[in-house]
Amino acid sequence: MFSITEYLTDEHRECDELYAKVERLVSEERWQEAVKAFGEFRDETLRHFQKEEDVLFPEFEGRTGIVMGPTQVMRMEHAQARELISRMGEALEKKDKRAFLSVGETFMILIQQHNMKEEQILYPMCDQHLDAPEVVQKMEAL
Amino acid sequence: MRGLSLLQAPPFIIVSGFFISASLFWFFGSLLELCSYLKDLWSLPLYVHISTIGFALFVMFGALFQMLPVVAGAVIKEPKRKAIISWLLLLLGFSLFTTGFYLKNYSLIMVGSSLLLAGVLFTAFLFLYHLLKLKSFTPTSRGFKFALAFVLSGAVAGFLIALSYGNYTPYSPWLLHLHMVLMLFGWVFLLIASVSFQVVEMFFVARPYPRLYAMNFPYFFTPALLLALYDSIYTRVPLLALVLSHVLLTLHRLYTSRRGFADKSIYFWYLAFLNLLVSIPFFLFKESFLYQFLLSFGLFFTILITGMSLRIISFLVWFHLSNEGAKQVPLMSEVIGEKLIKACFFLSLLLTISLHTLSFHRMYLLPVVIHIILSGTLSLSIIKGSLLYFRLSPLYNAS
């Protein structure tokens, strides 16, 4: 059975792969394929955020009583990432390669430093305080 | 609780202060190189320390203030006050130390190296104190602990060498070897290797380093490093084999990265690691190729730091402005433009080619001129990016 860290870290890597695919297609100006790949990337990333915001963070907050701590910072960074994803979508609609790659570059660094914080700090804390199989099951059910 | 540190990323001014100082030291250092070249005042220790202390140490300490909470969950309370103490000690120390070397004034070298030692001890102990309280979940935070221990011991060795210049202690070539190995491999290489375990996989969407290799790297590395302190060709082999393994693993990961060349900093990584590869045989036969080793190893870390500084500053400007709710939040490419990044890369490439081809003939004028242009361009980029933050930040513009 997965730990929370393993389960969600795997999802991070999947989203990274999906983003890399979109980035490559946009660079090569293969717009139709890029739109499709972007949809997959966006849906997977937003689903991952939802799993954290709807299941993991409330469970963690409920168990530890820490409401204004790391989970709040993570929510804020999710909001920043959502905004950048939306701007990437707009650039893709306009077939604006330069704008897409420019927003994507900022997104990528934001999301990687965000992932680092989750993987190094938050997830191990969650594994320590929560029943991992139960939480993973709830996230899977979403 | 550990995770609360997520809220306590240090203020932008800490990182930008260290980075601006580093790039300006590198720039003014390159002008000093030109002066000493034209006046025939050749000083290898001066050139080496301009890059190792003036540039690398400042950037690395500045970056560690930022990375400790993010990578290791280590919170430093009142970071601004502590960073100012560190910065002032290093700034004064380095200024006096280099002036002393340039003017061949022993008193200045002594005062400068005392302040530098104090700065390194203060900063490294500060980081170690916070890191040692935590369990290392990643190779990166584990590597940091070892690298900081090596910079502490390397700085003490450096201070003993400075004392020997004034005949307070006997001069020993072995002490110089000890200082060089601890600082270049124990500090610079190990810190970069530790960062690469995290950065290469995540930022370039590359294959992870083998877990067993990465997690235990400091444990393999430390005995190899200690063995290399006994100065002979054979005792350097295990250390260089480990460096080689890391170079090959990194180059392979960069080559198979899912993002290809989308992130421009990958060019800096390639060039830096190719220089590190070249430095390996030079260090093995350092009795005949010490200059070549120092040049190629110097190119390795300065090029990598150049590339990373451009990314770190532009991201932090966006990140802090975004968190502060600034009205205008420029994207990374609007903070430091692609043209400047490309210019820095091509200058780094030119510097590499010119140093590798001309250094054998002791023709340093062209590389020095390229160094001036590169460090000037980097300084301009970092200062421009930082000023943009201070112009847009609500924290610095009350209205």
Side-chain angles (χ1 to χ4, degrees):
Chain A
M1 181 52 89
F2 283 125
S3 67
I4 293 169
T5 304
E6 285 167 326
Y7 176 74
L8 291 173
T9 299
D10 279 355
E11 286 203 351
H12 285 165
R13 300 295 176 270
E14 277 170 40
C15 294
D16 292 344
E17 300 258 346
L18 291 170
Y19 173 75
K21 187 178 170 191
V22 186
E23 190 180 53
R24 197 175 58 248
L25 292 168
V26 170
S27 298
E28 293 165 6
E29 301 188 17
R30 291 156 64 184
W31 297 110
Q32 266 190 331
E33 291 165 84
V35 168
K36 194 174 164 232
F38 178 75
E40 285 173 40
F41 152 73
R42 183 194 53 214
D43 294 347
E44 275 304 308
T45 306
L46 297 182
R47 192 174 304 127
H48 172 79
F49 290 170
Q50 195 194 355
K51 285 179 183 177
E52 293 182 334
E53 290 174 3
D54 292 356
V55 178
L56 185 71
F57 296 169
E59 292 270 354
F60 176 79
E61 289 163 348
R63 183 65 57 91
T64 61
I66 303 169
V67 183
M68 295 305 291
T71 47
Q72 203 53 27
V73 180
M74 295 300 102
R75 283 193 183 94
M76 198 169 78
E77 291 185 358
H78 285 174
Q80 289 172 320
R82 280 192 181 98
E83 205 248 321
L84 291 172
I85 291 173
S86 149
R87 285 173 72 177
M88 279 193 273
E90 287 164 23
L92 199 57
E93 267 177 38
K94 292 177 193 161
K95 296 187 179 172
D96 187 341
K97 177 174 158 180
R98 199 182 165 86
F100 180 92
L101 295 177
S102 180
V103 180
E105 172 190 47
T106 307
F107 168 82
M108 196 59 185
I109 310 264
L110 167 74
I111 211 69
Q112 293 308 338
Q113 65 86 38
H114 170 85
N115 291 351
M116 261 186 220
K117 287 188 264 193
E118 287 188 335
E119 292 168 22
Q120 320 309 338
I121 302 161
L122 185 62
Y123 296 163
M125 283 168 78
C126 289
D127 274 318
Q128 209 178 328
H129 291 283
L130 304 175
D131 179 352
E134 188 191 320
V135 174
V136 169
Q137 204 176 10
K138 281 186 190 172
M139 288 193 283
E140 271 289 282
L142 271 185
Chain B
M1 181 170 273
R2 194 160 57 98
L4 290 177
S5 60
L6 289 177
L7 296 169
Q8 297 175 29
F12 177 70
I13 196 166
I14 293 181
V15 183
S16 71
F18 274 95
F19 278 40
I20 289 173
S21 312
S23 61
L24 286 178
F25 272 140
W26 209 35
F27 175 63
F28 289 119
S30 64
L31 294 178
L32 211 59
E33 282 172 12
L34 183 66
C35 289
S36 64
Y37 179 84
L38 294 175
K39 289 182 182 172
D40 217 10
L41 292 168
W42 173 259
S43 170
L44 185 65
L46 174 68
Y47 305 146
V48 167
H49 289 102
I50 284 169
S51 291
T52 51
I53 303 176
F55 188 49
L57 189 78
F58 271 82
V59 169
M60 286 166 159
F61 277 174
L64 280 171
F65 269 105
Q66 176 69 34
M67 282 194 286
L68 248 54
V70 176
V71 172
V75 59
I76 298 173
K77 285 179 188 153
E78 298 185 59
K80 220 187 222 175
R81 199 165 58 87
K82 287 162 188 163
I84 286 173
I85 296 171
S86 162
W87 180 76
L88 277 177
L89 285 170
L90 295 170
L91 185 87
L92 283 172
F94 181 69
S95 305
L96 295 173
F97 182 77
T98 39
T99 312
F101 263 118
Y102 184 70
L103 300 175
K104 309 239 183 293
N105 180 320
Y106 177 70
S107 304
L108 284 179
I109 293 177
M110 209 48 240
V111 178
S113 47
S114 306
L115 286 167
L116 275 176
L117 179 68
V120 172
L121 291 181
F122 173 80
T123 320
F125 273 125
L126 174 74
F127 292 147
L128 269 175
Y129 170 74
H130 289 89
L131 280 170
L132 288 172
K133 285 194 286 188
L134 303 170
K135 190 182 169 201
S136 295
F137 288 104
T138 63
T140 303
S141 62
R142 179 172 288 172
F144 283 178
K145 292 174 185 171
F146 282 78
L148 286 164
F150 290 132
V151 77
L152 278 172
S153 33
V156 173
F159 184 70
L160 291 176
I161 295 169
L163 283 177
S164 74
Y165 290 158
N167 295 321
Y168 293 107
T169 54
Y171 175 76
S172 140
W174 179 76
L175 201 56
L176 189 62
H177 174 74
L178 175 84
H179 175 61
M180 186 171 75
V181 170
L182 286 172
M183 284 307 207
L184 296 184
F185 289 99
W187 165 238
V188 175
F189 170 75
L190 185 58
L191 192 80
I192 290 175
S194 307
V195 170
S196 69
F197 289 139
Q198 194 95 51
V199 164
V200 171
E201 179 193 355
M202 295 182 80
F203 288 83
F204 300 127
V205 190
R207 287 172 57 181
Y209 290 82
R211 177 88 183 153
L212 201 67
Y213 173 85
M215 272 315 277
N216 294 302
F217 192 75
Y219 298 135
F220 304 138
F221 186 80
T222 302
L225 184 101
L226 295 177
L227 184 66
L229 295 180
Y230 179 80
D231 195 8
S232 88
I233 289 184
Y234 305 106
T235 53
R236 286 172 217 150
V237 171
L239 177 72
L240 292 175
L242 275 173
V243 175
L244 180 65
S245 71
H246 186 260
V247 171
L248 296 178
L249 283 170
T250 304
L251 286 173
H252 181 247
R253 270 140 190 81
L254 295 176
Y255 185 69
T256 52
S257 147
R258 307 280 193 285
R259 295 187 70 202
F261 291 95
D263 185 329
K264 299 291 172 273
S265 62
I266 200 169
Y267 290 101
F268 291 90
W269 278 78
Y270 267 119
L271 189 55
F273 272 79
L274 287 172
N275 273 302
L276 180 58
L277 187 63
V278 170
S279 78
I280 292 173
F282 287 146
F283 185 69
L284 185 64
F285 303 106
K286 81 175 171 70
E287 284 72 15
S288 310
F289 296 101
L290 182 65
Y291 280 4
Q292 281 73 22
F293 163 69
L294 290 172
L295 288 174
S296 42
F297 195 90
L299 283 166
F300 151 63
F301 67 81
T302 52
I303 290 170
L304 194 69
I305 290 172
T306 298
M308 293 304 282
S309 305
L310 294 165
R311 313 304 285 153
I312 292 170
I313 286 293
S314 47
F315 172 70
L316 288 180
V317 169
W318 177 84
F319 185 68
H320 282 277
L321 288 175
S322 177
N323 284 346
E324 290 162 16
K327 285 178 193 158
Q328 196 190 334
V329 182
L331 291 168
M332 284 173 69
S333 55
E334 292 159 342
V335 177
I336 297 176
E338 201 174 313
K339 278 184 189 166
L340 279 174
I341 296 174
K342 278 184 181 167
C344 284
F345 174 73
F346 282 113
L347 287 164
S348 302
L349 184 62
L350 276 179
L351 187 62
T352 300
I353 295 168
S354 64
L355 273 174
H356 283 307
T357 50
L358 300 177
S359 67
F360 279 99
H361 308 287
R362 298 288 164 102
M363 292 163 68
Y364 290 108
L365 185 59
L366 181 64
V368 168
V369 171
I370 297 170
H371 184 190
I372 292 172
I373 304 171
L374 170 62
S375 54
T377 311
L378 179 68
S379 302
L380 178 78
S381 309
I382 291 179
I383 293 171
K384 205 173 134 234
S386 300
L387 288 178
L388 185 65
Y389 165 80
F390 293 111
R391 195 159 56 78
L392 298 176
S393 167
L395 299 180
Y396 293 87
N397 300 280
S399 62

